[in-house]
Amino acid sequence: MTSPLADGVQAGHAGPTPLILTPGKPIRLAKGPLVAEVQPGCGARLSRLARRDTRGDLFDYLVPLGTEPFSSDEWPKAGAFPMLPYTNMLRDDTLHWRERAIAVHESPAASSSLHGWGLRRVWDVVDESPHCCVLQLDCPAQPEWPWHYQAYLAVTLDEHGVDMQLSLTNLSTQEMPAGLGLHPYFRWPAGARLTFESEAVWRSPSEDIRWPSEQRVHVGAMEVVSVGGGLDTGGRSTWFAEVPAESGRFDARIDYAGGLRSATVRSDDATWLVLHSPAGRPYLCLEPSTHRVGEFDDDHVVLAHGETLDLSMRIDLA
């Protein structure tokens, strides 16, 4: 059954997602040899993360975001953006919540529920310094998500890497299901090597099915070497890794060819790490998430009024 909408939201409200996002003048952060750029108007995206060498040349760890406008439904595979109020996709673009069936597909701005709304919205800058910025997103209730919530993203650069701290607070009077994720696109050229540990790795049976269904229990480190994109010989581009039970945190490291540069992703708050690299595309996504892809109906945090969910991601660079 479909229940009344929360907090008095009116049916027919189209939502505030723009059709087009346009990169503007970024917030530029610098600390030692590291530089970062943030685009508040493009979904609070960390649009560049690079190291400057003694000659002044930049080595980009993330795929840099360009300057061209883009559809909020077909974003460039670049930078790193927040996912909220859930991660990845909901089955059939529908949330089943306490006898409600809520269609979360926000038309016409989005063709699916993929990655929520944070990456499709314009964020406000609430604090800025030479090496840190804090962005805010306020989302009133709408038919596609009948709860009022507020999110903050803090991006802090130091001489060794970057911290991204994401939070989500329920401002509605009713309890709200919640999930968070962070979605970086690392450069993944041929010869780059990924190592990580997990309690278990799940894979989808094919590229047509986006949900984890095949479990591969693994003890110890896994290693993947890039051949210019892709994760396995079965042609599947996405793995879903459970957090290691013993450590309770993820450590995933990319070593670039030649051994001169590396990037390590760490998260103490995530229970899943989504690994994504399509064949033939030289990028690798390492996405810490608070819930399992496709299982948000059952695998979520419930926030009462005023409660907050947090997710952090640390990227150490060498």
Side-chain angles (χ1 to χ4, degrees), residues 49-134:
L49 182 61
R51 176 183 295 273
R52 191 180 303 277
D53 64 21
T54 55
R55 297 177 299 178
D57 295 330
L58 286 173
F59 177 87
D60 283 291
Y61 295 89
L62 299 178
V63 179
L65 181 69
T67 59
E68 294 298 317
F70 58 89
S71 165
S72 59
D73 198 34
E74 292 291 339
W75 54 86
K77 305 303 186 282
F81 57 75
M83 298 183 285
L84 57 92
Y86 55 84
T87 77
N88 290 279
M89 295 185 72
L90 307 188
R91 292 180 186 266
D92 300 319
D93 292 327
T94 301
L95 170 63
H96 300 279
W97 171 255
R98 297 180 179 176
E99 299 186 349
R100 301 187 225 177
I102 301 169
V104 297
H105 168 203
E106 187 185 356
S107 180
S111 60
S112 76
S113 61
L114 184 62
H115 298 326
W117 292 281
L119 79 159
R120 295 177 166 93
R121 302 278 173 87
V122 175
W123 293 54
D124 296 317
V125 181
V126 296
D127 196 13
E128 182 180 350
S129 75
H131 61 275
C132 179
C133 66
V134 180

Side-chain angles (χ1 to χ4, degrees), residues 9-276:
V9 63
Q10 298 298 309
H13 175 61
T17 298
L19 295 177
I20 300 294
L21 297 175
T22 302
K25 182 179 179 180
I27 297 173
R28 291 186 171 89
L29 309 177
K31 192 69 172 179
L34 299 184
V35 295
E37 295 181 355
V38 179
Q39 286 279 356
C42 294
R45 189 181 299 245
L46 177 62
S47 56
R48 188 166 202 179
L49 182 61
R51 176 183 295 273
R52 191 180 303 277
D53 64 21
T54 55
R55 297 177 299 178
D57 295 330
L58 286 173
F59 177 87
D60 283 291
Y61 295 89
L62 299 178
V63 179
L65 181 69
T67 59
E68 294 298 317
F70 58 89
S71 165
S72 59
D73 198 34
E74 292 291 339
W75 54 86
K77 305 303 186 282
F81 57 75
M83 298 183 285
L84 57 92
Y86 55 84
T87 77
N88 290 279
M89 295 185 72
L90 307 188
R91 292 180 186 266
D92 300 319
D93 292 327
T94 301
L95 170 63
H96 300 279
W97 171 255
R98 297 180 179 176
E99 299 186 349
R100 301 187 225 177
I102 301 169
V104 297
H105 168 203
E106 187 185 356
S107 180
S111 60
S112 76
S113 61
L114 184 62
H115 298 326
W117 292 281
L119 79 159
R120 295 177 166 93
R121 302 278 173 87
V122 175
W123 293 54
D124 296 317
V125 181
V126 296
D127 196 13
E128 182 180 350
S129 75
H131 61 275
C132 179
C133 66
V134 180
L135 310 180
Q136 179 196 66
L137 178 68
D138 187 84
C139 289
Q142 62 186 74
E144 297 85 3
W145 194 263
W147 297 273
H148 182 190
Y149 62 88
Q150 192 172 75
Y152 285 89
L153 176 66
V155 181
T156 305
L157 190 70
D158 59 42
E159 293 182 350
H160 304 289
V162 65
D163 282 298
M164 299 182 74
Q165 303 282 339
L166 181 62
S167 69
L168 178 71
T169 301
N170 178 20
L171 300 183
S172 291
T173 57
Q174 300 183 26
E175 291 183 330
M176 181 183 81
L180 293 174
L182 289 161
H183 194 306
Y185 290 92
F186 287 96
R187 292 178 57 242
W188 184 233
R193 181 170 60 96
L194 168 69
T195 54
F196 69 99
E197 291 189 9
S198 68
E199 191 68 17
V201 171
W202 296 70
R203 295 179 290 195
S204 56
S206 71
E207 285 297 276
D208 297 328
I209 300 176
R210 295 172 177 256
W211 323 116
S213 59
E214 295 181 353
Q215 185 181 26
R216 174 186 175 188
V217 177
H218 183 85
V219 178
M222 293 191 69
E223 178 177 305
V224 182
V225 177
S226 172
V227 292
L231 288 174
D232 62 32
T233 56
R236 287 165 293 199
S237 65
T238 308
W239 294 353
F240 311 88
E242 294 182 31
V243 66
E246 183 174 349
S247 67
R249 77 178 218 175
F250 284 109
D251 286 274
R253 175 176 171 131
I254 303 171
D255 285 286
Y256 291 97
L260 299 179
R261 293 283 176 256
S262 67
T264 302
V265 174
R266 294 185 170 92
S267 180
D268 294 315
D269 310 307
T271 56
W272 290 86
L273 182 71
V274 180
L275 302 93
H276 176 66

